[in-house]
Amino acid sequence: RLGGNVTVALGGLESVARASLEREGVDAWHHMAVCVPFVAAVLAVGLGNMCRPLTAVICMGATFASTRAILVAVKKLYDPLNVDMDDQAMFFICFALNADYALFFWSRFAEERATKRGADQYKVAVEEALLRSGAVIAVSNVVMAFALCGTLFFPGLNASGQRAFLIECLSGVVLAGLYSLTLTPALAAALPSLFDEGSPTLPSRWSVWTTALRP
């Protein structure tokens, strides 16, 4: 490293491309470090609860880890798969989906909780929120997954690494929906002290989306 962003290393075009991808990955994580807290803060304002956005972050982490694991497994099964590709966009796509699905679930939960009061009705509200928002999440997820499936069979994708990128996107989309339909309601049911109405909240006047953005 000569200073600043200038790095010198021996190698050919492949080494240069790999170093460029590694640098892009570092930059992407820096952007994510800014994006995640910002989106979590926006969700907290919209949902009126400071803990509910954490479910989107948890689902995002699980989605990232599982997606990378799936790509490794596919590479083991199909060695010719070219995994030298720029996959940073996949992280932001999956994060956006997890945040969107969390908004669907928690806004529906707030509506259900408004009519189902009392500690004994908490899990009933969670179940109803899952039932109603889950249909929207599932349909959205299936549509996006089918759209990505169609592109996997385009010719010439493997040479540029685009097939591996699409495999990551497909698995990320599916897993974002899966974790949003399982992990989020499970956390909600297990930790009512954090996620129920009246838990660590922002003033009710900030809950501007619980009415406007219900699925």
Side-chain angles (χ1 to χ4, degrees):
R1 177 175 290 276
L2 298 180
N5 291 325
V6 179
T7 302
V8 176
L10 296 176
L13 292 176
E14 183 178 348
S15 299
V16 172
R18 186 177 294 276
S20 177
L21 288 173
E22 290 176 354
R23 180 62 192 179
E24 185 175 357
V26 172
D27 289 342
W29 283 111
H30 288 167
H31 290 305
M32 188 67 76
V34 175
C35 182
V36 170
F38 175 76
V39 173
V42 171
L43 283 176
V45 170
L47 297 173
N49 183 291
M50 299 173 63
C51 295
R52 291 172 187 172
L54 294 178
T55 60
V57 178
I58 293 171
C59 289
M60 177 192 68
T63 300
F64 288 174
S66 302
T67 298
R68 282 297 174 87
I70 288 174
L71 185 63
V72 171
V74 174
K75 175 64 175 176
K76 289 289 185 181
L77 295 173
Y78 181 66
D79 189 64
L81 182 68
N82 179 15
V83 295
D84 290 329
M85 79 299 191
D86 176 10
D87 64 346
Q88 310 309 321
M90 182 274 298
F91 297 118
F92 293 92
I93 292 170
C94 292
F95 176 55
L97 283 176
N98 280 302
D100 202 26
Y101 294 159
L103 179 59
F104 285 173
F105 175 82
W106 287 116
S107 59
R108 177 58 68 177
F109 171 79
E111 181 181 9
E112 295 296 331
R113 195 66 172 129
T115 60
K116 297 176 176 63
R117 302 180 181 275
D120 59 329
Q121 292 294 301
Y122 175 78
K123 290 188 177 180
V124 176
V126 171
E127 292 172 359
E128 287 296 322
L130 177 60
L131 178 64
R132 296 179 183 278
S133 67
V136 179
I137 293 172
V139 170
S140 169
N141 206 254
V142 168
V143 170
M144 292 193 66
F146 269 101
L148 289 169
C149 281
T151 61
L152 278 174
F153 301 101
F154 286 4
L157 293 178
N158 194 49
S160 61
Q162 289 301 303
R163 179 158 289 139
F165 171 69
L166 289 171
I167 290 173
E168 272 198 325
C169 285
L170 174 60
S171 56
V173 166
V174 172
L175 289 168
L178 178 63
Y179 287 129
S180 295
L181 290 172
T182 55
L183 191 53
T184 296
L187 289 169
L191 300 169
S193 60
L194 295 180
F195 300 119
D196 197 6
E197 300 292 319
S199 298
T201 59
L202 297 170
S204 59
R205 65 179 179 275
W206 291 105
S207 303
V208 293
W209 293 346
T210 54
T211 300
L213 294 179
R214 289 177 185 139

